[in-house]
Amino acid sequence: MLITTALITILTLWLAIWSIDRAINKNKIGRGITVIGQDVGGLHPSGLSDVLLSIATSYASTPVIIKSDLGDIQTTTGEVGITVHIEETFKKVLELGDVPLIVEPFHWVKNLFAERSSPIAVQLRKDQYFKLPVDLSSSKSEPIEPVWKVENGQVEFINGIPAQIFNEEAIRNSIFLAAATGVSPIVVNADFTEIRPEVSDAEAAEFAQSTNDLTESGLTIIVGERTHTFSPEEVRNWLIFSLEDGQPTWVLNNPLVRGAIGDQLGGVVADKNELPEIIVNDGELSIVNLSAKACCAEDSVDLIYQSMLNGASSVNLQLIDITDGMDELLMAYGVSELISEATTPHPCCQSRVTNIQRFAELIQGTIIGPGDSLSLNEAIGKRTEAKGFVEAGVIVNGELTEDVGGGISQFATTFFQAAFYGGLDIVQYFPHTIWFSRYADFEGRKGIESTISWPSPNLEVRNISPFPILVWPTWTSTSLTVSLYSTKYAETEVSGQRSSMSDQCENIQTTRRRLLPDGSEELDTFSARYQPENGIGCNGEPTYPRPPDPPRNIEVQAGDTQITISWDIPEPEGNFDITEYFPITSYTVTASPGGNTCTTVELTCVISGLDNGAPYTFVVIATNSEGDSEDSDPSIEIAPEPDPEPEPTPTPEPEPTPTPEPEPTPTPEPEPEPTPTPEPEPTPTPEP
């Protein structure tokens, strides 16, 4: 009984306290309710609105972390356009505190000791669509299709690679669901969608095998009476693989096939077998003194392609007769178009122009066969007067001087530029050490040029195409042009050029890009270094330390058992005098025969102890800190002579003293009497 009474008393007291608290907090937010960790219990609705507005404002900076195998991507709710919907969140808070009256006392007790977290309502900003971070949207990729290639004579393939792209819709949903809970930071996992290549690995393997089977027997090509069988490996190397409409296929590399046919079956197949002489008149190509048939017709590659598709193991190609036209015959040889041309200017009528034009004349008509090289020094040899060259300016070791054949570096530069842009390999080259503006290329670039001298430096190029290249220089009184004729093989351009200074020298680095018929690219680099002026290196010193040049103008004078030798100082080379930097410290004279010497700092000396009557010649060398010069030109032959004995002086006989004859006394002439001077009459005084 007592227990029952106590329980009733406690219950009554509990209900009474609840009733009082309920009356006090009527129309307020229920006790213990939080929104994103912020306590809103006991607030009036107006106070709740203020709190929710503050929450909505700060919510835009809530971190959003999207986790993926590519790394975590971080953003914020504001950046993805998610905001708190205040009205809907207000309703959710009220709904959380709205419980049936019969259970409300129990919730009241519970809320005295525990919090209730209200969910929030989120929405997209009215002025912004839902967007994912740029990291996601830019991370999309395409699948990599299988690739076929010829390896060790067999067609093989590389597996395709599926693409992994973000599933943006799934990521959106995950962010929305997490945002509605009010969690901070919002962490979601990135979902991916896999995109497979159009061609499966199994299909790629099947295509490779069928291509190997198709070419297993190689291909026999018949041209007139000539026959050649190309091996399976050779035929497979002609193939270029690609995808068309999602299906693997192949075509023939036209230049490679034509080149292979030309190597084995090309040229003239009747009357003559040698390479014809090709000339250019007003830009028009023609073949000289040739009447024959040649391999092969223009549609030869197409005919081979169709035969291979049909599974044929041999194919007959048609010959071209000279009567079919010059263009077709030139095409059969592979010399059918201008592939590159370069022009450089020069002043008229100088001796160097004679050398340039003579060099061009000798090289004109040269044909560089497929895979062959052309060395300018080997082709022309040493430049001599017998070959038509004359003395002109030349750069030797960074100094301007004179030499037979000087000036032909302009031909080397012009030829270099034509070969550079024609896609030929540059095997050997050596840029000038001094920059001349006339050597700029067609876009005014420095560094795309080369010099030449005998026996070095040299300029050598190699033909990388399967077609012959005709070298055809032309000239005027003020310019040189080098034209190259062949079949276009490589597309060539300057992909970049850098200039830098090293001490007083300018360094130019040029990168050339060649696009080959098989789609591959080749990059090669060319360097040039230009000193500041003639004879001066990058450090402001002479380009190279060296001994002096030999003395000149050796003169001799005979004496008794001795010869007096005199000479002039070495002659400067051009405008550069090495002795200004490395002064002469002594001269040494040597007699021949005998080897008697004398050394001096003067420009004359005497060699004694020689045999009178014996002929001698003398050479002089100059010495500086870097060593001895070469011997001078020998003097004239001269023999010492003894001094002649003096003849006695005869005593002169005295001459008689002549008796002087008396001079006659002159008769004096009478002096004239002076004429008296008349006195002047007085001047009358004027009257007033």
Side-chain angles (χ1 to χ4, degrees):
M1 185 65 180
L2 290 175
I3 295 174
T4 302
T5 301
L7 290 173
I8 294 172
T9 301
I10 292 171
L11 180 60
T12 301
L13 182 61
W14 167 38
L15 293 175
I17 295 171
W18 167 74
S19 299
I20 294 171
D21 185 73
R22 186 174 186 272
I24 294 173
N25 292 291
K26 186 178 181 181
N27 298 324
K28 293 182 179 180
I29 306 303
R31 189 185 303 277
I33 296 177
T34 62
V35 179
I36 312 183
Q38 189 165 341
D39 187 10
V40 296
L43 295 178
H44 288 285
S46 60
L48 176 62
S49 297
D50 293 339
V51 172
L52 294 181
L53 180 61
S54 175
I55 290 173
T57 302
S58 62
Y59 189 75
S61 61
T62 300
V64 176
I65 301 173
I66 304 172
K67 304 185 75 65
S68 76
D69 294 338
L70 303 178
D72 293 350
I73 301 166
Q74 298 189 9
T75 183
T76 64
T77 52
E79 289 176 349
V80 299
I82 299 175
T83 62
V84 175
H85 194 303
I86 296 177
E87 291 79 4
E88 292 297 324
T89 303
F90 191 97
K91 292 179 181 179
K92 290 181 178 294
V93 173
L94 295 181
E95 290 173 357
L96 185 63
D98 188 16
V99 298
L101 182 61
I102 193 171
V103 298
E104 186 176 341
F106 301 98
H107 277 267
W108 177 78
V109 174
K110 179 182 177 181
N111 295 333
L112 291 175
F113 306 100
E115 293 182 351
R116 292 176 291 171
S117 178
S118 173
I120 61 172
V122 294
Q123 64 179 357
L124 291 175
R125 290 209 313 262
K126 294 181 179 179
D127 61 342
Q128 180 179 340
Y129 291 106
F130 185 99
K131 67 177 183 179
L132 291 174
V134 69
D135 306 73
L136 291 184
S137 59
S138 64
S139 64
K140 295 181 180 180
S141 61
E142 299 293 332
I144 299 175
E145 298 292 335
V147 176
W148 295 267
K149 63 179 182 177
V150 177
E151 193 82 23
N152 298 322
Q154 294 287 319
V155 178
E156 299 180 355
F157 74 99
I158 301 174
N159 291 337
I161 302 174
Q164 294 271 333
I165 66 171
F166 288 104
N167 188 334
E168 295 187 10
E169 186 63 32
I171 296 173
R172 288 191 186 98
N173 293 335
S174 297
I175 294 174
F176 267 121
L177 291 174
T181 66
V183 66
S184 180
I186 298 173
V187 181
V188 300
N189 293 319
D191 290 333
F192 290 90
T193 299
E194 185 177 83
I195 300 178
R196 305 289 303 176
E198 290 187 84
V199 179
S200 67
D201 292 344
E203 291 171 329
E206 182 181 356
F207 176 73
Q209 185 59 52
S210 64
T211 305
N212 284 325
D213 294 343
L214 185 67
T215 56
E216 187 60 36
S217 300
L219 184 67
T220 299
I221 297 180
I222 303 167
V223 179
E225 296 182 356
R226 297 181 182 180
T227 299
H228 182 79
T229 298
F230 294 93
S231 69
E233 293 81 6
E234 290 175 304
V235 173
R236 291 164 185 159
N237 283 323
W238 296 346
L239 308 181
I240 299 176
F241 301 99
S242 64
L243 285 176
E244 290 186 6
D245 299 327
Q247 297 297 318
T249 186
W250 55 263
V251 296
L252 293 177
N253 188 321
N254 194 300
L256 286 183
V257 177
R258 287 177 59 192
I261 296 172
D263 290 342
Q264 301 296 334
L265 301 164
V268 177
V269 297
D271 298 341
K272 292 185 179 181
N273 290 323
E274 70 273 13
L275 191 69
E277 180 184 358
I278 303 174
I279 63 173
V280 183
N281 287 316
D282 296 328
E284 296 292 330
L285 290 158
S286 59
I287 297 179
V288 179
N289 299 325
L290 183 65
S291 177
K293 294 183 178 180
C295 175
C296 294
E298 188 174 354
D299 63 350
S300 295
V301 177
D302 291 337
L303 185 60
I304 292 172
Y305 176 68
Q306 291 298 328
S307 299
M308 291 179 61
L309 287 181
N310 295 332
S313 59
S314 65
V315 57
N316 284 276
L317 301 182
Q318 300 299 312
L319 294 171
I320 301 172
D321 195 90
I322 188 64
T323 56
D324 293 337
M326 186 65 68
D327 291 343
E328 287 80 3
L329 190 58
L330 288 167
M331 188 172 295
Y333 285 110
V335 183
S336 59
E337 60 182 323
L338 178 69
I339 65 169
S340 182
E341 189 172 79
T343 299
T344 57
H346 57 69
C348 175
C349 312
Q350 298 179 351
S351 56
R352 63 186 297 272
V353 175
T354 300
N355 293 329
I356 294 170
Q357 295 178 353
R358 180 55 180 158
F359 202 99
E361 183 180 16
L362 292 173
I363 210 77
Q364 189 183 69
T366 299
I367 291 179
I368 312 173
D372 293 342
S373 297
L374 172 62
S375 163
L376 294 187
N377 270 342
E378 290 182 8
I380 304 302
K382 186 176 182 179
R383 274 65 75 183
T384 63
E385 293 180 349
K387 293 181 180 178
F389 294 98
V390 299
E391 197 169 84
V394 64
I395 300 176
V396 179
N397 295 318
E399 299 179 33
L400 291 171
T401 185
E402 296 281 325
D403 195 11
V404 174
I408 60 169
S409 285
Q410 179 148 359
F411 180 89
T413 283
T414 314
F415 179 75
F416 178 93
Q417 292 177 1
F420 179 97
Y421 287 106
L424 282 73
D425 272 352
I426 310 298
V427 181
Q428 291 187 64
Y429 79 103
F430 192 86
H432 289 80
T433 53
I434 304 173
W435 171 247
F436 299 95
S437 59
R438 63 177 175 266
Y439 293 154
D441 75 349
F442 65 94
E443 289 194 358
R445 300 186 183 96
K446 290 184 179 181
I448 305 177
E449 51 90 5
S450 180
T451 185
I452 188 175
S453 187
W454 178 264
S456 65
N458 187 28
L459 174 58
E460 182 180 353
V461 302
R462 180 170 57 243
N463 179 8
I464 66 170
S465 81
F467 314 105
I469 297 175
L470 171 67
V471 183
W472 197 264
T474 55
W475 55 89
T476 69
S477 61
T478 57
S479 68
L480 169 71
T481 298
V482 175
S483 305
L484 303 181
Y485 294 88
S486 184
T487 296
K488 194 70 174 179
Y489 184 74
E491 297 290 338
T492 306
E493 65 177 3
V494 173
S495 63
Q497 192 172 70
R498 293 187 301 167
S499 174
S500 62
M501 296 299 296
S502 178
D503 295 330
Q504 299 180 34
C505 278
E506 183 180 18
N507 303 301
I508 305 291
Q509 188 176 71
T510 303
T511 300
R512 179 180 70 166
R513 177 167 55 225
R514 291 185 292 182
L515 180 61
L516 303 181
D518 62 0
S520 63
E521 285 188 356
E522 290 185 355
L523 297 176
D524 44 11
T525 302
F526 301 84
S527 299
R529 182 178 177 89
Y530 300 117
Q531 64 190 50
E533 59 181 293
N534 175 38
I536 303 299
C538 301
N539 59 359
E541 299 294 326
T543 52
Y544 67 102
R546 61 176 174 81
D549 294 312
R552 56 196 177 94
N553 300 332
I554 313 301
E555 296 183 357
V556 289
Q557 184 177 353
D560 188 7
T561 67
Q562 66 181 28
I563 299 294
T564 301
I565 307 98
S566 60
W567 56 89
D568 292 336
I569 62 174
E571 184 176 15
E573 296 182 0
N575 297 321
F576 182 74
D577 188 358
I578 189 67
T579 63
E580 292 182 7
Y581 296 91
F582 301 93
I584 294 173
T585 56
S586 66
Y587 296 95
T588 301
V589 185
T590 303
S592 179
N596 294 23
T597 64
C598 67
T599 301
T600 181
V601 296
E602 306 295 334
L603 296 177
T604 183
C605 73
V606 178
I607 293 182
S608 304
L610 304 178
D611 296 330
N612 287 337
Y616 293 89
T617 60
F618 302 86
V619 296
V620 186
I621 63 171
T623 301
N624 65 9
S625 61
E626 303 304 314
D628 298 332
S629 72
E630 296 180 354
D631 290 349
S632 68
D633 292 334
S635 70
I636 63 172
E637 195 172 66
I638 190 171
E641 297 178 354
D643 294 334
E645 294 183 3
E647 294 182 1
T649 304
T651 303
E653 295 181 359
E655 295 183 0
T657 304
T659 302
E661 294 181 358
E663 294 182 359
T665 303
T667 302
E669 294 182 357
E671 295 180 5
E673 295 182 4
T675 303
T677 304
E679 294 180 5
E681 296 183 0
T683 303
T685 302
E687 297 181 357

